[in-house]
Amino acid sequence: MPQIVFLPHAKLCPDGAVVEAEVGKTLCDIMLENDIHIEHACEKSCACTTCHVLVREGFNSLSEASENEEDQLDKAWGLEAVSRLSCQAVVADEDLVIEIPKYTINHASEGGH
């Protein structure tokens, strides 16, 4: 089983975390199963960017991003070359280091209605 290191995030994972991951699961599901409550406003349907993560190590081992995911990522806050939507990134057998961006673009959770 690959190991995933989640770097500290002030709200979602203040101390960081290290978890064993099941191959074939998405990063989003792995986070949620390990009490890292990342937003997923579209219910993991690849229709928003609230579950955006930065893959600091192991990026190339993840499933390939679809064209739809790439289009959504263009809207993400803090987009980088190693950005993925965690609801779409399927874990393989390589260890990963994941950073959750400081901000997300979620109009409802940011007080806009």
Side-chain angles (χ1 to χ4, degrees):
M1 282 189 148
Q3 186 177 72
I4 303 179
V5 173
F6 292 98
L7 299 175
H9 180 277
K11 287 174 128 178
L12 302 177
C13 190
D15 298 324
V18 178
V19 302
E20 296 292 319
E22 187 176 327
V23 172
K25 285 196 170 192
T26 65
L27 286 172
C28 186
D29 287 337
I30 292 165
M31 285 188 276
L32 295 171
E33 290 168 2
N34 286 279
D35 297 321
I36 302 171
H37 301 287
I38 192 160
E39 288 187 72
H40 50 288
C42 71
E43 295 300 319
K44 303 182 267 183
S45 65
C46 196
C48 74
T49 63
T50 59
C51 71
H52 170 226
V53 296
L54 303 166
V55 184
R56 296 298 182 201
E57 292 181 23
F59 181 84
N60 291 326
S61 71
L62 296 171
S63 60
E64 189 173 330
S66 69
E67 187 174 326
N68 186 32
E69 180 183 356
E70 295 286 349
D71 289 345
Q72 289 299 322
L73 280 169
D74 287 341
K75 305 170 193 171
W77 182 91
L79 180 67
E80 294 185 18
V82 293
S83 289
R84 288 296 305 266
L85 296 181
S86 66
C87 71
Q88 301 299 302
V90 177
V91 174
D93 56 1
E94 192 172 312
D95 292 347
L96 302 165
V97 175
I98 304 297
E99 179 181 352
I100 303 168
K102 184 175 181 179
Y103 300 108
T104 183
I105 298 173
N106 185 343
H107 191 63
S109 72
E110 293 170 358
H113 301 288

